[in-house]
Amino acid sequence: MRPLLVFVAAAAALAATPAAAETCHAFEGQFAKTRICVSSVLASQAGNTYGPDHLLATGDGAWCEGVAGPGIGQTVTLHQDPPQVMRTIMVMGGYSKSDETYRNNGRVKKALIETDRGSKRIVTLKDVRESQDIIIPKAKIAWVKLTILEVYPGARGSDTCMSEFLTNLEEFANE
């Protein structure tokens, strides 16, 4: 009986071990404090950084996942405090700096979109260098998470990047 107790205790300790630390970026917006967290980040290269802050601003940057391979299973989670009414998520599933950077890096093709309200939906993004709207059930949401399920491969590497992961709060801000 004793070996079983040791196994159960070891299994419980392993289950309690936190997953790899997320990298987060926080800012205070018009309606809420926002924090965007990613499960991994590609190391800086040639003076370029690839952190989660690039998902919230339009410009030349992008978040790029930092694990071996195309990043299947990597996540982006946007937290709102207090929870906000939202229905639209805007996603750009590639590195939109230029046509060349877009094609050279992996782009999100299929993703699981989840919310703290229990909504789950698999979406397929078009392979286009523009923002795409994803409609979710309208609700007051504390967090929304995207998990990469499949990618369009890049021409010059296995890194998968995203240039935008935003929610549209303004159209429902007063509800």
Side-chain angles (χ1 to χ4, degrees):
M1 193 74 152
R2 246 177 148 54
L4 179 59
L5 289 175
V6 171
F7 174 75
V8 171
L14 187 60
T17 305
E22 291 184 310
T23 300
C24 298
H25 172 75
F27 75 98
E28 195 155 336
Q30 182 179 359
F31 304 112
K33 293 178 184 174
T34 300
R35 185 170 43 102
I36 190 156
C37 300
V38 295
S39 54
S40 67
V41 176
L42 181 66
S44 298
Q45 298 175 10
N48 294 313
T49 62
Y50 304 100
D53 53 314
H54 294 294
L55 292 165
L56 300 171
T58 56
D60 291 341
W63 164 70
C64 298
E65 51 76 25
V67 297
I72 303 302
Q74 295 303 289
T75 62
V76 176
T77 308
L78 189 118
H79 302 267
Q80 300 285 333
D81 183 23
Q84 296 294 306
V85 175
M86 64 180 81
R87 182 179 171 117
T88 306
I89 303 164
M90 296 161 289
V91 177
M92 184 174 296
Y95 194 157
S96 67
K97 181 178 182 177
S98 68
D99 285 337
E100 183 180 15
T101 57
Y102 184 80
R103 292 287 169 210
N104 284 343
N105 293 282
R107 288 128 5 239
V108 177
K109 181 177 182 179
K110 284 191 178 180
L112 173 63
I113 305 293
E114 301 174 86
T115 71
D116 65 303
R117 300 294 299 256
S119 174
K120 290 183 181 185
R121 176 176 170 211
I122 294 177
V123 298
T124 300
L125 298 175
K126 297 175 188 168
D127 193 9
V128 294
R129 194 176 141 222
E130 60 189 45
S131 183
Q132 298 175 57
D133 290 348
I134 298 170
I135 305 300
I136 59 174
K138 181 179 162 185
K140 213 171 228 190
I141 296 173
W143 59 262
V144 60
K145 176 167 70 171
L146 177 146
T147 303
I148 300 171
L149 301 178
E150 188 178 344
V151 302
Y152 296 104
R156 289 186 46 209
S158 63
D159 301 319
T160 296
C161 303
M162 288 177 58
S163 294
E164 180 180 74
F165 189 72
L166 300 168
T167 58
N168 186 349
L169 303 178
E170 289 187 47
E171 64 183 286
F172 301 115
N174 296 321
E175 294 183 22

